Amino acid sequence: KPHFCFIRRPGRPPLKSLDAVGAAARLRSLAVRGGMLPHAAYRAWYHKFDAFKAVPKELADASAFGAVMTGVGAALVVLLVVCETSAFLTAQSHTRLVIDSNEDALLRINFDVTMLDMSCDNVVVGIWDAFGTDKLNITRNVLKQRVDHKGARKGKPYTEEEIAELEFSNMSFTSEELAELDSDWGSSSDHFKHDDFQAVVNAHAFTMVNFYADWCPHCKQFAPTWAKFEEAVNSGHEQVKDADGEVANVRVLKINCVDFQDACREQKVRGFPSIRLYRRGQEGKNFQVHQGPRTQEGLNAWVRSVVSQAHTHVNAAYHDIFNEGCRLSGHLEASRVPGTLHFQAMHTREHSVNLALTNVSHVVHHFSFGESPRGTLKHLPKEYRRNVSPMDGVIYVTDKFHKAPHHFIKVVHTRFEGSNLRSYQQTHQWSTRTLQRNAIPQAKFSYDLSPVEVVVSKGDRRWYDYLTQLFAIVGGTFSVMSMTVGFLRAFSMQVKSMLNKMN
């Protein structure tokens, strides 16, 4: 064991050598007697349990690097405390899904829509639902306001030439479809369908048809002449020009009224042979009948005289039909089941319109569900406000006939715990539908209610969670900084030792 030697003071007996334990006890005794340690602290019972014993300043070694690391640690503590306090004061919401608890029998639908090219006299509001309820021309709680078109151009009806060019100028057919449309209706046993006479008429600017019967002697006598005329026109050898001097699309064919009695009956053919010239876009009602000589020269002269009076290319463009638009606002109540709200045109007692050509382009100023959504909107959390009425301020435009925007809306009932707030959240998609030529365009808003509801609750934190986080921030930061400083100092000492050995 190591031994220690002590200097003898005058007048005192010499000290004996002690081992390490005895020396430590002797040092503490001398420290107390000399005033270096308080006598009460040395003899107090709690000195064994004190976890925060003070280190004498003489034993502490300060450095510039330690001061810098202390400043960095303090800055980190301040930053983390500020972030934690902000998170504590900002309530985070939590959501869960449950079965819809709303037992209301009716659903309120709020709307504010402007029909861009439909007068208030002709536009109506309708609704139908999954229960089979179908209501049209709803006026209760619906306000109509006339809206002028912007600019100098005013609405006007389409002419027959404009309709024919706009509807059929961009038509395209496959080779099989074109062969079907250009073929003679001579027999029901050939490989063609021959089931849509109006499609044949609409495929050509003009269609010249010979309605005949096999048993008719006059038809048999006229057949060779018609065959030569048909071949000359269809092959392009005989060109027929319109009023603008351009070659018109004229097709010549024949229909056997024995095999195709329904088509002839629909066209009200009463004698044979019956030669007619149809113009497309007229739904088979507007045609001219040939009354002249049944010779090839007579047929050529007659078809040229009729076609030369028509303008087949008028450079038509889509335009407004009415002189004004209409803004419809209000609300209605429907059964709380899936349904469709729609806006469409209707005839009036004084004025009839071609409903199939109406334009249902519109602007949605507001569309929502539930009671007073605009009044409660400011009380909703920010992330839930935008889904109350996602269509607001959007324009939906169709640029051709027989097209209509169709909106698909999924409605989710949302309940906020801790308050009486309820809201209907929406997800919205839309597409432009292509309609049949005789169908009436409608601006449709189809909605479907979700069978579940979203419950939103506040995620309040306890005060002791906050304090725990603060203590963890302070203690953890300085512990990490202390370990970092110790590691760097040990590494520095090791490097210095290696350098000294090398020197």
Side-chain angles (χ1 to χ4, degrees), residues 475-487:
T477 301
F478 280 98
S479 295
V480 172
M481 299 304 295
S482 177
M483 289 187 294
T484 303
V485 170
F487 172 76

Side-chain angles (χ1 to χ4, degrees), residues 209-212 219 269-276 289-290 294:
V209 184
N210 174 19
F211 295 93
Y212 73 97
C219 298
V269 178
R270 296 182 175 85
F272 307 106
S274 180
I275 304 171
R276 298 180 181 181
V289 181
H290 174 64
R294 296 173 185 169

Side-chain angles (χ1 to χ4, degrees), residues 24-38:
R26 183 63 177 171
L27 286 174
R28 285 196 297 269
S29 177
L30 291 175
V32 171
R33 292 176 183 178
M36 294 176 64
L37 293 176

Side-chain angles (χ1 to χ4, degrees), residues 59-129:
L59 301 179
D61 183 17
S63 64
F65 177 71
V68 172
M69 297 300 291
T70 302
V72 173
L76 287 176
V77 168
V78 172
L79 176 62
L80 294 176
V81 168
V82 171
C83 295
E84 183 64 23
T85 303
S86 176
F88 176 74
L89 297 178
T90 304
Q92 297 292 332
S93 60
H94 301 281
T95 60
R96 67 179 188 274
L97 296 178
V98 298
I99 298 299
D100 193 0
S101 62
N102 193 331
E103 298 181 354
D104 294 341
L106 298 177
L107 175 67
R108 173 167 168 157
I109 305 175
N110 311 283
F111 59 88
D112 187 356
V113 179
T114 295
M115 306 304 295
L116 297 177
D117 187 29
M118 198 172 294
S119 68
C120 291
D121 295 333
N122 294 94
V123 65
V124 294
V125 182
I127 190 171
W128 63 268
D129 57 38

Side-chain angles (χ1 to χ4, degrees), residues 212-230:
Y212 73 97
D214 291 335
W215 50 263
C216 173
H218 301 287
C219 298
K220 295 179 180 180
Q221 184 180 0
F222 176 60
T225 303
W226 180 263
K228 293 180 182 179
F229 170 73
E230 182 177 351

Side-chain angles (χ1 to χ4, degrees), residues 208 273-276 287-294 298-299 302 306:
M208 192 169 178
S274 180
I275 304 171
R276 298 180 181 181
F287 57 85
Q288 298 192 36
V289 181
H290 174 64
Q291 302 290 351
R294 296 173 185 169
L299 294 174
W302 178 73
V306 175

